[in-house]
Amino acid sequence: MEIEIIISELDFYLIEKVRELRIKSEPYLDQVTLAQRIGVSEGYIGRIENPKIQSKYNIRMLNRVSKALGLNSYDLLFPSKLLSNDLVKIRLKLKKQTKRKHEIDDAGNVVKRFDILSVKPLSENEQKRWDAKDKKNKLDYLRIL
């Protein structure tokens, strides 16, 4: 299945980075345990990590997540340089999940749940439509292709 989402490039990065750090943590930290550690509902992390749902972390939650993961610096969470774009359209090809537990490949990388097919910044017109109050002309967060 292919989908296209509109999201802040930084939000997308942070969601994937938290997922990676969570899965690589020793011992393995599942979504429910992380949610319990930061004091949110059991489905909170799952909603954020699901690219079909328009949920994201806020700064307060990132602070709590960092502590729950045992990070000693925000440097491990944020990108080392500024990202080029604000809002982007990301086209993803979702992979079929065969296992519930996440996998780490032979190189020590977390196996992705999707392939990124393209990342494009929103045009000026698309940005206006995204910000529009009028729901009729507003861009949708998710398109299933």
Side-chain angles (χ1 to χ4, degrees), residues 7-11 83-89 121-122 127:
I7 190 169
S8 156
E9 190 173 28
L10 182 58
D11 283 328
L83 299 176
S84 303
N85 303 297
D86 178 19
L87 290 172
V88 291
K89 270 195 278 190
L122 291 189
Q127 178 75 44

Side-chain angles (χ1 to χ4, degrees), residues 17-31 33-34 37 65 68-71 101 104 108 110:
K17 188 64 171 182
V18 168
R19 179 178 178 270
E20 174 188 328
L21 292 169
R22 176 181 68 73
I23 292 168
K24 284 184 165 182
S25 69
E26 291 293 332
Y28 169 79
L29 194 60
D30 65 19
Q31 293 175 344
T33 304
L34 179 58
R37 286 188 183 178
V65 165
L69 291 171
L71 304 181
K101 190 168 180 179
I104 297 177
V110 174

Side-chain angles (χ1 to χ4, degrees), residues 53-69:
I53 299 175
Q54 189 179 0
S55 293
K56 60 186 179 202
Y57 293 107
N58 63 32
I59 293 297
R60 181 173 177 231
M61 283 299 131
L62 287 172
N63 183 56
R64 290 161 70 178
V65 165
S66 297
K67 288 179 182 179
L69 291 171

Side-chain angles (χ1 to χ4, degrees), residues 1-17:
M1 169 189 290
E2 284 186 25
I3 64 171
E4 185 176 76
I5 60 172
I6 296 175
I7 190 169
S8 156
E9 190 173 28
L10 182 58
D11 283 328
F12 186 78
Y13 177 90
L14 290 169
I15 291 166
E16 290 305 303
K17 188 64 171 182

